Amino acid sequence: LATASADHTAKLWNWSDGKLIFSFEGHEKGISDVAWTMDSQYIATASDDTTLRLWSVAEKKCLKKFEGHTSYVFCCCFNQQGNMMVSGSFDETVRMWEVSSGSCIKVLPAHSDPVTAVHFSKDGTMIVSSSYDGLCRIWNSQNGTCLKTIIDESNPPVSHVKFSPNSKYLLMATLDHTLRLWNYKDDKW
């Protein structure tokens, strides 16, 4: 179990007994999100210091620092292979990163308000992003084109979004206290 904290650290916990295993330190400001690779060898942290960091769980150290966002980095996610990462920020962009080099490979001018969540589809071909602007957008992860913009009639700010495990649905949490399930294949609620 990994947690992000306003105290500038990410912590690794033993889920069975609740004991702290290790505290990852290095960010200059609070951490908003933490993401695991599928093999559980690495975690990424998204911080208010405008950076992301890649950490080795076994070595308990920072391997890379990802720089490019111009405001708080609020969310991050790895693809299943762990070779690509996506992040969202208060700078209203979604950035796609090559993990091995630490290079930003695409900057998507995604939203008109802070980006609140990002997630890869199971096969890694799509990325979904959400924002306080009330939109969810689905992106092609190869070329960064927007495939679909999803908006509810009442347009409430979206606090979180995720693909279902089979990538046929999107689950969205909105600030009007509602969960919305969208069928990607049939293009309907």
Side-chain angles (χ1 to χ4, degrees):
L1 175 66
T3 57
S5 176
D7 71 0
H8 311 190
T9 68
K11 293 184 179 357
L12 195 60
W13 303 88
N14 182 321
W15 66 269
S16 61
D17 64 13
K19 291 186 180 175
L20 179 66
I21 297 170
F22 188 75
S23 194
F24 296 97
E25 298 180 12
H27 281 290
E28 297 169 16
K29 293 187 179 178
I31 299 172
S32 297
D33 198 13
V34 61
W36 287 90
T37 55
M38 288 299 289
D39 61 11
S40 299
Q41 292 186 35
Y42 306 98
I43 63 169
T45 50
S47 173
D48 288 355
D49 67 12
T50 75
T51 70
L52 297 115
R53 292 185 188 234
L54 178 70
W55 306 86
S56 166
V57 174
E59 297 176 54
K60 296 181 175 72
K61 70 176 188 176
C62 181
L63 302 177
K64 283 191 180 55
K65 184 178 179 180
F66 299 77
E67 298 179 283
H69 280 292
T70 59
S71 189
Y72 311 128
V73 186
F74 197 66
C75 49
C76 59
C77 183
F78 288 102
N79 66 352
Q80 286 219 342
Q81 297 77 24
N83 63 341
M84 193 196 258
M85 183 172 55
V86 64
S87 59
S89 169
F90 271 57
D91 66 12
E92 302 171 4
T93 67
V94 170
R95 290 181 184 254
M96 297 163 54
W97 307 87
E98 182 181 71
V99 173
S100 61
S101 67
S103 299
C104 179
I105 52 177
K106 285 267 187 242
V107 179
L108 309 176
H111 294 277
S112 60
D113 272 318
V115 178
T116 55
V118 289
H119 193 241
F120 276 98
S121 61
K122 182 179 181 177
D123 65 4
T125 61
M126 296 179 292
I127 296 165
V128 65
S129 63
S130 64
S131 171
Y132 289 146
D133 65 9
L135 304 178
C136 287
R137 290 209 161 112
I138 299 174
W139 308 90
N140 178 308
S141 66
Q142 297 302 309
N143 60 25
T145 57
C146 183
L147 302 172
K148 182 78 178 169
T149 298
I150 305 158
I151 185 168
D152 184 71
E153 282 183 21
S154 59
N155 195 35
V158 183
S159 59
H160 203 77
V161 65
K162 274 200 169 199
F163 279 104
S164 63
N166 64 8
S167 299
K168 291 182 181 178
Y169 302 95
L170 289 175
L171 184 62
M172 297 168 237
T174 56
L175 294 183
D176 64 353
H177 314 288
T178 306
L179 290 174
R180 290 169 170 82
L181 188 66
W182 187 72
N183 185 321
Y184 178 73
K185 185 177 177 184
D186 296 336
D187 198 20
K188 64 182 183 182
W189 297 105

